[in-house]
Amino acid sequence: DIQMTQSPSSLSASVGDRVTITCRASQSISSYLNWYQQKPGKAPKLLIYGASSLQSGVPSRFSGSGSGTDCTLTISSLQPEDFATYYCQQSYSTPYTFGQGTKLEIK
Amino acid sequence: QVQLVESGGGVVQPGRSLRLSCAASGFTFSSYAMHWVRQAPGKGLEWVALISYDGSNKYYADSVKGRFTISRDNSKDTLYLQMNSLRAEDTAVFYCARDRDIVVVTGIPDYWGQGTLVTVSS
């Protein structure tokens, strides 16, 4: 199985900050990497698919990059509604594994 | 709009069985692969299973293989997860989710239901 490791596990930031979250795969997954946002008590929401494609309706301050074993999610200017937990997920092969999550908190 | 509504969760004793359902609306259910994903209390997301649009292909996480069965009834726009030999570690919120593209399996859950809680406890 492909292991997904996110860093950091938690992050404190302020409104307006630029934030980057990294996801590393245990083997190359090309660009089969997706990012989700989850708020407490809610279902996850797809933000980015194929490493860099923005899901419809997602604000352009979210962007993704990378391929192979390393990908990143960047939020260019944090908004109050962005404080949540973020997960990466590989869709290269089954089982479709998730990272452990990165909790983004208000500083 | 796409809507997925899970049901069937509850409290069950270890070793017993439970069947979850997911009613779909707002899209052509029979054209999309579907996923089950779970989340233990306070933990991260764990992909559980996928079924192709026509039910001909099914894939499972190692942790549930041989115990859980994913199925669908396209005439009823409903997805199922039959869970047998339940263990305490199966306690989680179970989400159903649609795969992102028509017919082709992408492995990308795009729309998710609100989840149903399964608690395995004596």
XYZ file of all heavy atoms in Angstrom, chain B residues 31-118:
705
model
N -24.231 5.976 -13.534
C -23.076 6.320 -14.371
C -21.794 6.548 -13.585
O -20.747 6.797 -14.183
C -23.377 7.576 -15.198
O -24.424 7.356 -16.120
N -21.864 6.496 -12.258
C -20.706 6.839 -11.434
C -20.283 5.697 -10.511
O -21.134 5.050 -9.887
C -21.016 8.053 -10.560
C -21.108 9.359 -11.304
C -22.286 9.729 -11.934
C -20.028 10.233 -11.362
C -22.384 10.923 -12.629
C -20.117 11.442 -12.040
C -21.291 11.774 -12.667
O -21.386 12.965 -13.339
N -18.969 5.528 -10.388
C -18.452 4.684 -9.322
C -18.712 5.378 -7.984
O -18.876 6.601 -7.930
C -16.955 4.442 -9.513
N -18.736 4.577 -6.934
C -19.048 5.116 -5.602
C -18.070 4.565 -4.565
O -17.583 3.432 -4.689
C -20.477 4.746 -5.197
C -21.561 5.340 -6.074
S -21.701 7.130 -5.951
C -22.212 7.346 -4.244
N -17.831 5.369 -3.535
C -16.890 5.026 -2.472
C -17.590 4.967 -1.115
O -18.596 5.651 -0.890
C -15.814 6.123 -2.324
C -14.990 6.396 -3.512
N -13.711 5.901 -3.671
C -15.239 7.155 -4.606
C -13.203 6.351 -4.805
N -14.110 7.113 -5.394
N -16.988 4.214 -0.202
C -17.225 4.354 1.231
C -15.892 4.768 1.862
O -14.847 4.179 1.557
C -17.711 3.062 1.868
C -19.133 2.722 1.563
C -19.589 1.807 0.649
C -20.309 3.279 2.194
N -20.968 1.770 0.669
C -21.430 2.654 1.603
C -20.526 4.231 3.195
C -22.743 2.968 1.978
C -21.818 4.534 3.559
C -22.908 3.910 2.958
N -15.951 5.774 2.727
C -14.790 6.264 3.467
C -15.222 6.388 4.924
O -16.348 6.813 5.198
C -14.309 7.635 2.930
C -13.129 8.159 3.744
C -13.949 7.543 1.458
N -14.355 6.045 5.861
C -14.740 6.135 7.267
C -13.762 6.998 8.055
O -12.641 7.252 7.613
C -14.854 4.755 7.894
C -13.564 3.999 8.050
C -13.835 2.613 8.645
N -12.610 1.825 8.797
C -12.580 0.578 9.251
N -13.727 -0.026 9.598
N -11.437 -0.068 9.359
N -14.220 7.418 9.226
C -13.414 8.263 10.099
C -13.717 7.895 11.538
O -14.812 8.162 12.044
C -13.715 9.733 9.839
C -12.830 10.697 10.582
C -12.999 12.127 10.092
O -14.087 12.567 9.738
N -11.906 12.883 10.064
N -12.745 7.285 12.204
C -12.890 6.953 13.615
C -12.938 8.250 14.429
O -12.399 9.276 13.996
C -11.735 6.078 14.069
N -13.579 8.229 15.588
C -13.714 9.457 16.388
C -12.374 10.119 16.657
O -11.448 9.480 17.172
C -14.363 8.943 17.680
C -15.098 7.724 17.279
C -14.279 7.079 16.210
N -12.261 11.375 16.269
C -11.039 12.137 16.496
C -9.861 11.755 15.621
O -8.743 12.246 15.844
N -10.084 10.898 14.643
C -8.989 10.414 13.785
C -9.150 10.911 12.348
O -10.061 11.678 12.036
C -8.960 8.881 13.808
C -8.800 8.287 15.201
C -7.490 8.687 15.855
C -7.313 7.997 17.204
N -6.044 8.410 17.870
N -8.243 10.445 11.485
C -8.256 10.854 10.090
C -9.173 9.997 9.231
O -9.894 9.122 9.716
N -9.112 10.269 7.944
C -9.959 9.585 6.981
C -9.327 8.269 6.542
O -8.114 8.191 6.345
C -10.174 10.474 5.752
C -10.837 11.819 6.024
C -10.742 12.718 4.799
C -12.285 11.627 6.442
N -10.147 7.259 6.377
C -9.690 5.963 5.878
C -10.606 5.505 4.754
O -11.805 5.300 4.967
C -9.666 4.897 6.986
C -9.187 3.543 6.492
C -9.308 2.434 7.521
O -10.018 2.613 8.524
O -8.702 1.377 7.315
N -10.048 5.340 3.581
C -10.815 4.806 2.453
C -11.164 3.351 2.736
O -10.313 2.591 3.209
C -9.995 4.938 1.176
C -10.676 4.383 -0.032
C -11.604 5.009 -0.815
C -10.485 3.087 -0.591
N -11.994 4.171 -1.833
C -11.330 2.992 -1.716
C -9.691 2.000 -0.254
C -11.390 1.848 -2.511
C -9.752 0.858 -1.040
C -10.603 0.794 -2.153
N -12.415 2.969 2.460
C -12.895 1.630 2.790
C -13.128 0.762 1.547
O -12.668 -0.380 1.488
C -14.203 1.723 3.604
C -14.831 0.346 3.803
C -13.944 2.399 4.950
N -13.866 1.294 0.589
C -14.246 0.462 -0.563
C -14.713 1.322 -1.720
O -15.123 2.472 -1.537
C -15.346 -0.524 -0.179
N -14.646 0.716 -2.924
C -15.135 1.351 -4.135
C -15.861 0.328 -4.982
O -15.466 -0.843 -5.038
C -13.968 1.933 -4.942
C -14.348 2.443 -6.334
C -14.083 3.923 -6.488
C -13.610 1.679 -7.426
N -16.918 0.755 -5.658
C -17.626 -0.101 -6.601
C -17.770 0.659 -7.913
O -18.055 1.861 -7.914
C -19.000 -0.536 -6.038
C -19.677 -1.548 -6.959
C -19.901 0.663 -5.765
C -20.884 -2.239 -6.325
N -17.556 -0.018 -9.013
C -17.676 0.617 -10.320
C -19.137 0.952 -10.623
O -20.054 0.511 -9.918
C -17.112 -0.291 -11.400
O -17.806 -1.530 -11.418
N -19.352 1.739 -11.690
C -20.681 2.249 -11.988
C -21.723 1.146 -12.180
O -22.882 1.310 -11.815
C -20.625 3.137 -13.234
C -20.449 2.379 -14.531
C -21.531 2.149 -15.363
C -19.216 1.875 -14.916
C -21.391 1.446 -16.546
C -19.054 1.166 -16.081
C -20.150 0.947 -16.905
O -19.994 0.238 -18.069
N -21.256 0.000 -12.703
C -22.185 -1.093 -12.991
C -22.098 -2.243 -11.987
O -22.745 -3.280 -12.163
C -21.954 -1.620 -14.402
C -20.557 -2.171 -14.603
O -19.730 -2.066 -13.675
O -20.264 -2.683 -15.685
N -21.258 -2.062 -10.975
C -21.127 -3.082 -9.942
C -20.202 -4.232 -10.306
O -20.064 -5.172 -9.531
N -19.569 -4.162 -11.459
C -18.760 -5.287 -11.924
C -17.387 -5.365 -11.257
O -16.761 -6.425 -11.270
C -18.584 -5.211 -13.446
O -17.901 -4.026 -13.809
N -16.920 -4.250 -10.725
C -15.610 -4.224 -10.067
C -15.735 -3.633 -8.665
O -16.413 -2.616 -8.474
C -14.607 -3.405 -10.878
C -14.283 -4.070 -12.199
O -13.686 -5.142 -12.235
N -14.686 -3.464 -13.298
N -15.083 -4.281 -7.722
C -15.120 -3.840 -6.334
C -13.714 -3.904 -5.756
O -12.953 -4.824 -6.065
C -16.058 -4.744 -5.518
C -17.471 -4.816 -6.071
C -18.336 -5.802 -5.291
C -19.723 -5.915 -5.941
N -20.597 -6.856 -5.190
N -13.386 -2.935 -4.927
C -12.065 -2.858 -4.310
C -12.250 -2.529 -2.833
O -13.152 -1.778 -2.469
C -11.220 -1.774 -4.981
C -11.109 -1.930 -6.480
C -12.035 -1.337 -7.325
C -10.092 -2.678 -7.047
C -11.963 -1.487 -8.697
C -9.995 -2.829 -8.425
C -10.940 -2.234 -9.242
O -10.852 -2.388 -10.603
N -11.341 -3.079 -1.998
C -11.476 -2.919 -0.562
C -10.145 -2.576 0.095
O -9.070 -2.971 -0.381
C -11.989 -4.216 0.075
C -13.354 -4.643 -0.400
C -13.491 -5.542 -1.457
C -14.501 -4.151 0.206
C -14.748 -5.928 -1.902
C -15.761 -4.542 -0.225
C -15.873 -5.423 -1.281
O -17.121 -5.811 -1.713
N -10.230 -1.887 1.233
C -9.066 -1.728 2.095
C -8.757 -3.076 2.738
O -9.664 -3.882 2.996
C -9.360 -0.690 3.176
N -7.487 -3.313 3.010
C -7.085 -4.582 3.628
C -7.782 -4.795 4.971
O -8.102 -5.920 5.341
C -5.566 -4.606 3.835
C -4.816 -4.708 2.522
O -5.437 -5.045 1.492
O -3.593 -4.438 2.527
N -8.039 -3.703 5.683
C -8.616 -3.787 7.031
C -10.048 -4.322 7.035
O -10.546 -4.746 8.089
C -8.571 -2.417 7.706
O -9.286 -1.463 6.931
N -10.717 -4.301 5.880
C -12.112 -4.754 5.836
C -12.326 -5.901 4.852
O -13.425 -6.473 4.799
C -13.068 -3.596 5.478
C -12.843 -2.413 6.425
C -12.926 -3.167 4.027
N -11.299 -6.237 4.105
C -11.431 -7.285 3.085
C -11.875 -8.599 3.720
O -11.333 -9.020 4.745
C -10.098 -7.448 2.360
C -10.194 -8.072 0.992
C -8.839 -8.033 0.293
C -8.398 -6.622 -0.027
N -7.112 -6.580 -0.769
N -12.881 -9.223 3.127
C -13.405 -10.477 3.656
C -14.490 -10.301 4.698
O -15.185 -11.266 5.045
N -14.644 -9.089 5.227
C -15.687 -8.824 6.233
C -16.772 -7.893 5.694
O -17.943 -8.023 6.062
C -15.078 -8.202 7.482
C -14.048 -9.060 8.178
C -13.638 -8.457 9.528
N -13.052 -7.128 9.384
C -13.504 -6.042 9.997
N -14.548 -6.105 10.799
N -12.890 -4.881 9.844
N -16.378 -6.923 4.878
C -17.312 -5.933 4.330
C -17.566 -6.228 2.859
O -16.669 -6.676 2.134
C -16.744 -4.517 4.450
C -16.658 -3.973 5.864
C -16.855 -4.772 6.982
C -16.355 -2.630 6.052
C -16.773 -4.246 8.263
C -16.271 -2.088 7.330
C -16.467 -2.911 8.423
N -18.793 -5.926 2.407
C -19.139 -6.071 0.997
C -19.860 -4.816 0.510
O -20.872 -4.409 1.103
C -20.055 -7.289 0.775
O -19.392 -8.467 1.235
C -20.384 -7.448 -0.711
N -19.330 -4.224 -0.526
C -19.962 -3.061 -1.149
C -20.849 -3.550 -2.288
O -20.499 -4.494 -3.014
C -18.900 -2.056 -1.647
C -19.551 -0.738 -2.084
C -18.034 -2.647 -2.746
C -18.534 0.376 -2.384
N -21.999 -2.927 -2.425
C -22.910 -3.284 -3.518
C -23.762 -2.079 -3.868
O -23.739 -1.064 -3.163
C -23.796 -4.478 -3.131
O -24.634 -4.146 -2.035
N -24.501 -2.191 -4.946
C -25.362 -1.094 -5.374
C -26.586 -1.626 -6.081
O -26.561 -2.718 -6.658
C -24.590 -0.137 -6.281
C -24.132 -0.732 -7.594
C -23.139 0.196 -8.302
N -23.728 1.497 -8.617
C -23.014 2.601 -8.843
N -21.689 2.568 -8.771
N -23.619 3.744 -9.136
N -27.653 -0.832 -6.033
C -28.869 -1.137 -6.781
C -29.166 0.090 -7.628
O -29.693 1.093 -7.111
C -30.024 -1.457 -5.828
C -31.279 -1.910 -6.558
O -31.439 -1.588 -7.751
O -32.115 -2.562 -5.946
N -28.796 0.041 -8.876
C -28.961 1.203 -9.747
C -30.428 1.509 -10.034
O -30.762 2.636 -10.399
C -28.189 1.013 -11.046
C -26.684 1.179 -10.844
O -26.236 1.706 -9.827
N -25.902 0.724 -11.809
N -31.296 0.539 -9.864
C -32.728 0.807 -10.059
C -33.312 1.613 -8.899
O -34.363 2.241 -9.051
C -33.495 -0.501 -10.219
O -33.510 -1.229 -9.001
N -32.596 1.598 -7.775
C -33.062 2.333 -6.588
C -32.146 3.503 -6.241
O -32.335 4.154 -5.209
C -33.151 1.391 -5.390
C -34.188 0.295 -5.545
C -34.249 -0.576 -4.292
C -35.321 -1.651 -4.427
N -35.393 -2.523 -3.235
N -31.126 3.745 -7.066
C -30.158 4.825 -6.803
C -29.580 4.721 -5.391
O -29.484 5.726 -4.666
C -30.807 6.199 -6.995
C -31.140 6.501 -8.449
O -30.663 5.749 -9.335
O -31.872 7.466 -8.712
N -29.211 3.530 -5.012
C -28.761 3.296 -3.639
C -27.486 2.463 -3.603
O -27.348 1.479 -4.335
C -29.860 2.604 -2.817
O -31.047 3.416 -2.837
C -29.422 2.421 -1.370
N -26.588 2.881 -2.731
C -25.321 2.200 -2.454
C -25.440 1.521 -1.093
O -26.095 2.039 -0.186
C -24.199 3.236 -2.440
C -22.794 2.778 -2.067
C -22.199 1.943 -3.197
C -21.907 3.988 -1.770
N -24.771 0.389 -0.952
C -24.827 -0.354 0.307
C -23.422 -0.719 0.785
O -22.478 -0.816 0.002
C -25.620 -1.651 0.136
C -27.042 -1.449 -0.327
C -27.390 -1.668 -1.657
C -28.032 -1.047 0.558
C -28.692 -1.480 -2.100
C -29.342 -0.862 0.124
C -29.656 -1.081 -1.206
O -30.947 -0.897 -1.635
N -23.327 -0.947 2.100
C -22.126 -1.535 2.678
C -22.585 -2.548 3.720
O -23.125 -2.171 4.757
C -21.210 -0.481 3.317
C -19.874 -1.026 3.810
C -19.003 -1.466 2.619
C -19.121 0.016 4.641
N -22.399 -3.815 3.398
C -22.700 -4.889 4.348
C -21.459 -5.135 5.187
O -20.389 -5.445 4.643
C -23.095 -6.164 3.603
C -23.366 -7.351 4.512
C -24.592 -7.169 5.384
O -25.624 -6.696 4.925
N -24.481 -7.550 6.647
N -21.604 -4.997 6.496
C -20.469 -5.124 7.402
C -20.705 -6.309 8.334
O -21.668 -6.299 9.112
C -20.298 -3.834 8.213
C -20.124 -2.606 7.341
S -19.789 -1.108 8.287
C -21.321 -0.931 9.182
N -19.868 -7.328 8.219
C -19.965 -8.514 9.061
C -18.783 -8.592 10.016
O -17.770 -7.916 9.828
C -20.007 -9.767 8.180
C -21.209 -9.792 7.253
O -22.258 -9.216 7.551
N -21.070 -10.456 6.115
N -18.906 -9.433 11.022
C -17.817 -9.655 11.992
C -17.237 -8.337 12.479
O -16.019 -8.130 12.470
C -16.725 -10.513 11.357
O -17.244 -11.742 10.900
N -18.111 -7.455 12.921
C -17.666 -6.120 13.323
C -16.788 -6.161 14.553
O -16.965 -7.000 15.457
C -18.877 -5.215 13.543
C -19.482 -4.685 12.231
C -20.901 -4.192 12.453
C -18.613 -3.586 11.635
N -15.828 -5.240 14.587
C -14.852 -5.134 15.674
C -14.933 -3.745 16.283
O -15.407 -2.803 15.636
C -13.448 -5.365 15.130
C -13.260 -6.650 14.353
C -11.965 -6.610 13.571
N -11.739 -7.848 12.813
C -10.823 -7.992 11.858
N -10.023 -6.971 11.565
N -10.697 -9.142 11.231
N -14.415 -3.602 17.470
C -14.416 -2.291 18.129
C -13.709 -1.249 17.257
O -14.122 -0.079 17.206
C -13.750 -2.394 19.494
N -12.665 -1.667 16.569
C -11.897 -0.730 15.734
C -12.628 -0.304 14.466
O -12.141 0.544 13.722
C -10.523 -1.307 15.382
C -10.546 -2.656 14.730
C -10.360 -3.801 15.728
O -10.857 -3.677 16.883
O -9.731 -4.812 15.354
N -13.802 -0.868 14.216
C -14.629 -0.419 13.093
C -15.505 0.773 13.479
O -16.197 1.338 12.628
C -15.528 -1.545 12.589
C -14.749 -2.701 11.977
O -13.790 -2.428 11.224
O -15.100 -3.862 12.249
N -15.496 1.145 14.755
C -16.272 2.304 15.202
C -15.821 3.552 14.453
O -14.645 3.921 14.489
C -16.112 2.509 16.715
O -16.697 1.393 17.400
C -16.782 3.797 17.164
N -16.768 4.188 13.774
C -16.421 5.326 12.926
C -17.676 5.955 12.340
O -18.759 5.353 12.360
C -15.510 4.876 11.777
N -17.506 7.157 11.824
C -18.498 7.742 10.920
C -18.198 7.218 9.528
O -17.048 7.298 9.076
C -18.452 9.273 10.948
C -19.369 9.855 9.870
C -18.829 9.801 12.326
N -19.191 6.673 8.872
C -19.035 6.146 7.518
C -19.680 7.113 6.534
O -20.857 7.461 6.662
C -19.682 4.764 7.399
C -18.852 3.675 8.011
C -18.779 3.526 9.388
C -18.127 2.795 7.204
C -17.999 2.518 9.962
C -17.348 1.792 7.759
C -17.290 1.650 9.142
N -18.878 7.543 5.559
C -19.348 8.437 4.507
C -19.449 7.681 3.186
O -18.553 6.908 2.842
C -18.352 9.575 4.285
C -18.149 10.521 5.433
C -17.046 10.395 6.275
C -19.026 11.588 5.660
C -16.831 11.287 7.316
C -18.815 12.491 6.703
C -17.712 12.318 7.519
O -17.508 13.214 8.544
N -20.512 7.930 2.443
C -20.500 7.511 1.045
C -20.116 8.730 0.201
O -20.347 9.877 0.608
C -21.832 6.940 0.589
S -23.198 8.101 0.474
N -19.501 8.475 -0.921
C -19.034 9.564 -1.781
C -19.061 9.120 -3.232
O -18.819 7.952 -3.544
C -17.623 9.985 -1.378
N -19.327 10.080 -4.095
C -19.347 9.816 -5.527
C -17.946 9.957 -6.105
O -17.182 10.841 -5.701
C -20.286 10.822 -6.207
C -20.616 10.522 -7.642
C -21.355 11.659 -8.298
N -20.472 12.767 -8.651
C -20.833 13.794 -9.404
N -22.084 13.862 -9.867
N -19.987 14.767 -9.681
N -17.599 9.097 -7.060
C -16.346 9.266 -7.798
C -16.519 10.406 -8.789
O -17.623 10.686 -9.244
C -15.986 7.971 -8.517
C -14.531 7.920 -8.932
O -13.665 7.920 -8.035
O -14.252 7.879 -10.128
N -15.386 11.040 -9.143
C -15.487 12.334 -9.803
C -15.994 12.301 -11.238
O -16.675 13.217 -11.686
C -14.121 13.051 -9.756
C -14.240 14.491 -10.130
C -12.926 15.223 -10.058
N -13.127 16.600 -10.492
C -13.170 16.977 -11.763
N -12.978 16.085 -12.722
N -13.390 18.234 -12.083
N -15.676 11.214 -11.982
C -16.032 11.223 -13.402
C -17.050 10.150 -13.772
O -17.161 9.133 -13.097
C -14.776 11.037 -14.263
C -14.039 12.334 -14.474
O -14.620 13.408 -14.214
O -12.868 12.288 -14.911
N -17.719 10.353 -14.860
C -18.691 9.380 -15.369
C -17.972 8.132 -15.875
O -16.968 8.232 -16.584
C -19.522 10.007 -16.503
C -20.497 11.034 -15.947
C -20.274 8.941 -17.273
C -21.347 11.699 -17.003
N -18.466 6.975 -15.464
C -18.050 5.638 -15.921
C -16.620 5.304 -15.508
O -16.382 4.313 -14.834
C -18.228 5.483 -17.448
C -17.703 4.111 -17.892
C -19.682 5.640 -17.825
N -15.660 6.128 -15.895
C -14.262 5.830 -15.574
C -14.013 6.007 -14.078
O -14.470 6.987 -13.480
C -13.322 6.770 -16.357
C -11.869 6.531 -15.985
C -13.535 6.594 -17.853
N -13.273 5.090 -13.478
C -12.922 5.225 -12.067
C -11.718 6.147 -11.950
O -10.654 5.872 -12.527
C -12.592 3.857 -11.444
C -12.046 4.036 -10.022
C -13.833 2.976 -11.413
N -11.879 7.238 -11.195
C -10.753 8.154 -10.975
C -10.126 7.952 -9.605
O -8.989 8.335 -9.378
C -11.221 9.621 -11.057
O -12.108 9.885 -9.975
C -11.920 9.895 -12.387
N -10.870 7.383 -8.663
C -10.388 7.269 -7.297
C -10.489 8.564 -6.528
O -9.891 8.682 -5.448
N -11.241 9.522 -7.030
C -11.367 10.840 -6.416
C -12.804 11.022 -5.935
O -13.714 11.303 -6.729
C -11.029 11.962 -7.413
C -9.661 11.743 -8.044
C -11.086 13.322 -6.714
C -9.382 12.662 -9.216
N -13.055 10.887 -4.630
C -14.411 11.171 -4.135
C -14.672 12.673 -4.194
O -13.915 13.441 -3.586
C -14.358 10.677 -2.686
C -13.126 9.833 -2.574
C -12.170 10.403 -3.577
N -15.713 13.112 -4.934
C -15.940 14.551 -5.007
C -17.107 14.991 -4.123
O -16.950 15.874 -3.300
C -16.069 15.044 -6.453
C -17.234 14.453 -7.232
O -17.889 13.518 -6.719
O -17.478 14.916 -8.358
N -18.265 14.426 -4.260
C -19.384 14.768 -3.395
C -19.532 13.712 -2.302
O -19.469 12.514 -2.583
C -20.677 14.887 -4.197
C -20.738 16.133 -5.043
C -20.318 16.107 -6.364
C -21.205 17.334 -4.524
C -20.361 17.248 -7.155
C -21.255 18.477 -5.307
C -20.828 18.417 -6.612
O -20.875 19.552 -7.391
N -19.740 14.185 -1.066
C -19.821 13.308 0.090
C -21.168 13.481 0.795
O -21.727 14.570 0.822
C -18.715 13.648 1.095
C -17.317 13.509 0.589
C -16.747 14.124 -0.497
C -16.275 12.731 1.175
N -15.429 13.770 -0.620
C -15.113 12.927 0.399
C -16.202 11.894 2.300
C -13.900 12.297 0.691
C -15.004 11.283 2.593
C -13.861 11.481 1.792
N -21.645 12.390 1.412
C -22.795 12.500 2.283
C -22.398 13.069 3.637
O -21.232 13.383 3.868
N -23.361 13.158 4.542
C -23.099 13.745 5.870
C -22.563 12.712 6.853
O -22.099 13.070 7.922
C -24.381 14.388 6.423
C -25.333 13.437 7.132
C -26.034 12.464 6.216
O -26.023 12.614 4.990
N -26.687 11.457 6.794
N -22.635 11.433 6.474
C -22.079 10.378 7.303
C -23.087 9.747 8.245
O -24.084 10.364 8.629
N -22.811 8.500 8.624
C -23.615 7.789 9.611
C -22.669 7.108 10.582
O -21.664 6.521 10.175
C -24.581 6.780 8.951
O -25.459 6.239 9.941
C -23.856 5.640 8.257
N -22.957 7.222 11.872
C -22.059 6.728 12.907
C -22.352 5.269 13.231
O -23.494 4.902 13.524
C -22.196 7.586 14.173
C -21.383 7.147 15.388
C -19.888 7.197 15.093
C -21.721 8.028 16.591
N -21.304 4.480 13.194
C -21.370 3.077 13.601
C -20.528 2.924 14.860
O -19.348 3.276 14.859
C -20.844 2.155 12.488
C -20.746 0.717 12.986
C -21.733 2.253 11.254
